[in-house]
Amino acid sequence: MAPSIRLSPAARSLFDEPLALAVQGLAPRQPVTLRTSLRDETGQLFQACARYRAEDDGQLDLARCPALPGGSFSGLEPMGLLWALQPQKPYWYMMKRDVQSPFLLQLEVFDGHGDPPGQLLAQAQHERGFMSDGVRRVPVREGRIRATLFLPPGEEPFPGVIDIHGLGGGLLEHRASLLANHGFATLALAYYQYEDLPQEPTELRLEYFEEAVNYMLQHPQVKGPGVGLLGYSKGADLSLAMAAFLNNITAAVSLNGPAAITVYPLHYKDKIIPVLPMYEELATVTDSNILDYSDIFLDPFQAPGNQSLIPLEKAEAQLLFIVGQDDRFVKSEYHATEVCKRLQAQGKDNFQILSYPGTGHCIDPPYFPLYPIGHHPIYHKRAVLGGKIGVYSRAQVHAWSQIQAFFHKYLNG
């Protein structure tokens, strides 16, 4: 029997779903190298490879067989060939703009453990999609709101979540589209550098985000009486401010965000929250000549009279802080710990922290590649984000399941 690749699901899966991978028809104990390849929307190539040895019956099941040393990873890692994908162009982030089309994953099996690899024995293709059958993508241009709403299949009202990304502008839909597959009406919300929104804002107004909350609560397919918020980085401090100042916020998740307002002053009615001061001269240079900006922010908890802290004691929502212990952009673990100490001292218990070792600033849904060094959105220089491959992948999977469980618990009443 000629070697062949067996996948489950066979032809298509969602990007955040596990993919079972096996090879059959090999010689007993045959050494082989498996390689995965994927090109993103810009054409940039991501690859991973691993060395294996077939079992005595010529079967190779990645759920049972550990990878041998010498590839992108070793040990028993059934999803290693997906989470270990790395860009061939250094410091490249895997971007997904068009969530209506899948990524195409190429799988190849080569004879032996050579470099370059030996004879090609088998190959297969697999689609990794972002929207399951029946999920609807609805562009939103209501009043000032510029967003995309993803609705799960069916007509009943669903728990509603607003997804707010970090700095960089534009409208990113990959997280919102994946969340909709799990039963949430999810609004991916842009707030600058998109269509007619401000290109280079000097301030942000909370009324804009309040309008998004009201849009969701007036939608016939969004279950009230409140909505959830999922904010990453700058989007996390905006989400926490929404929880502190706005009504009808039931649950808010902060993904590696500060507990203070950063970069743009935040206005709401007659109140202005100034930004947390930052000092570029406090950046350090790593051995590989990359900048580390983790110490550039003023410590808002040690600065008497600092006005940039978000008054989270006002928040009635349940709060979930997800932090990477190796976050080198924001001291997110410190911020979350200190703010929860303050809430506890005031007799509040509406908070929890999930803290992940070996995890940097960028926490994407499962199986997105590690992005440890990136482009600083303010200083426009190469900067350390942090994170270590492998442990980061486990954090992605766990955090994603916990976000869903948190929203199901508090938004389904």
Side-chain angles (χ1 to χ4, degrees):
M1 184 169 71
S4 63
I5 297 170
R6 190 174 71 247
L7 300 170
S8 180
R12 181 185 171 94
S13 56
L14 291 170
F15 200 91
D16 61 346
E17 280 184 332
L19 176 65
L21 201 163
V23 183
Q24 54 195 14
L26 298 169
R29 309 295 297 163
Q30 182 175 356
V32 290
T33 299
L34 273 61
R35 184 170 73 188
T36 46
S37 307
L38 182 157
R39 287 193 184 274
D40 73 4
E41 291 170 326
T42 67
Q44 291 298 330
L45 179 65
F46 289 74
Q47 283 191 325
C49 69
R51 295 175 174 180
Y52 288 94
R53 190 175 296 279
E55 296 182 90
D56 292 338
D57 60 359
Q59 303 286 318
L60 173 60
D61 185 342
L62 270 58
R64 294 201 311 263
C65 298
L68 305 172
S72 303
F73 58 92
S74 60
L76 189 63
E77 296 286 356
M79 288 292 288
L81 284 165
L82 280 88
W83 61 247
L85 285 165
Q86 284 292 286
Q88 301 308 287
K89 181 177 181 177
Y91 316 125
W92 192 260
Y93 177 66
M94 185 187 282
M95 183 69 75
K96 187 57 174 153
R97 295 277 185 194
D98 177 12
V99 296
Q100 296 179 98
S101 67
F103 277 136
L104 190 61
L105 184 71
Q106 305 274 357
L107 303 106
E108 298 166 298
V109 183
F110 298 96
D111 185 33
H113 292 159
D115 187 15
Q119 179 190 355
L120 177 66
L121 303 174
Q123 59 185 330
Q125 289 187 341
H126 186 86
E127 291 184 351
R128 295 285 277 173
F130 287 79
M131 296 169 61
S132 58
D133 290 344
V135 169
R136 286 155 292 164
R137 178 185 177 275
V138 183
V140 177
R141 306 292 179 271
E142 295 270 341
R144 291 175 293 182
I145 302 305
R146 301 294 176 263
T148 303
L149 178 63
F150 292 90
L151 292 168
E155 294 305 318
E156 68 269 26
F158 302 98
V161 175
I162 300 175
D163 178 33
I164 308 175
H165 265 273
L167 294 174
L171 180 60
L172 298 179
E173 300 179 355
H174 64 278
R175 196 167 58 205
S177 60
L178 288 171
L179 199 55
N181 301 314
H182 298 280
F184 299 97
T186 312
L187 186 77
L189 181 65
Y191 56 99
Y192 78 106
Q193 266 181 35
Y194 183 71
E195 294 187 352
D196 57 352
L197 293 174
Q199 288 300 300
E200 294 295 337
T202 55
E203 62 182 33
L204 295 173
R205 300 206 67 94
L206 203 55
E207 285 87 351
Y208 174 79
F209 300 91
E210 187 172 36
E211 200 172 319
V213 173
N214 293 335
Y215 167 81
M216 289 292 277
L217 290 175
Q218 289 161 12
H219 197 286
Q221 285 189 262
V222 174
K223 179 193 292 188
V227 298
L229 306 173
L230 176 55
Y232 162 65
S233 192
K234 174 63 191 170
D237 77 51
L238 289 167
S239 296
L240 294 176
M242 291 167 74
F245 289 106
L246 305 183
N247 296 321
N248 302 315
I249 308 298
T250 304
V253 178
S254 165
L255 274 171
N256 275 340
I261 294 299
T262 58
V263 185
Y264 304 116
L266 187 65
H267 292 236
Y268 185 54
K269 296 179 179 175
D270 57 352
K271 185 173 181 61
I272 300 174
I273 305 181
V275 299
L276 185 65
M278 55 185 183
Y279 306 98
E280 188 183 8
E281 62 271 19
L282 295 179
T284 56
V285 181
T286 66
D287 294 342
S288 49
N289 222 25
I290 309 291
L291 287 158
D292 185 335
Y293 286 99
S294 53
D295 284 318
I296 67 168
F297 283 107
L298 180 77
D299 184 340
F301 302 99
Q302 303 297 328
N306 181 267
Q307 298 296 304
S308 60
L309 266 177
I310 298 162
L312 278 171
E313 65 279 359
K314 296 181 178 180
E316 298 297 324
Q318 293 291 324
L319 306 172
L320 173 59
F321 297 90
I322 293 178
V323 297
Q325 293 178 14
D326 193 34
D327 183 355
R328 308 283 278 277
F329 247 38
V330 178
K331 290 188 170 177
S332 50
E333 186 182 36
Y334 172 70
H335 275 239
T337 303
E338 288 300 310
V339 83
C340 290
K341 279 184 198 169
R342 291 186 169 212
L343 292 173
Q344 194 167 26
Q346 295 179 26
K348 304 203 77 166
D349 63 356
N350 60 329
F351 57 85
Q352 54 184 300
I353 301 175
L354 291 174
S355 181
Y356 294 100
T359 300
H361 186 67
C362 189
I363 302 181
D364 267 318
Y367 314 121
F368 269 84
L370 174 69
Y371 184 53
I373 295 170
H375 189 70
H376 199 285
I378 302 164
Y379 299 119
H380 306 295
K381 296 172 185 173
R382 197 153 281 154
V384 180
L385 294 168
K388 296 176 178 62
I389 200 163
V391 280
Y392 164 66
S393 171
R394 288 184 277 279
Q396 279 178 305
V397 172
H398 187 264
W400 190 234
S401 69
Q402 294 302 299
I403 289 167
Q404 293 167 48
F406 176 75
F407 284 144
H408 275 303
K409 179 176 180 178
Y410 293 110
L411 297 180
N412 277 317

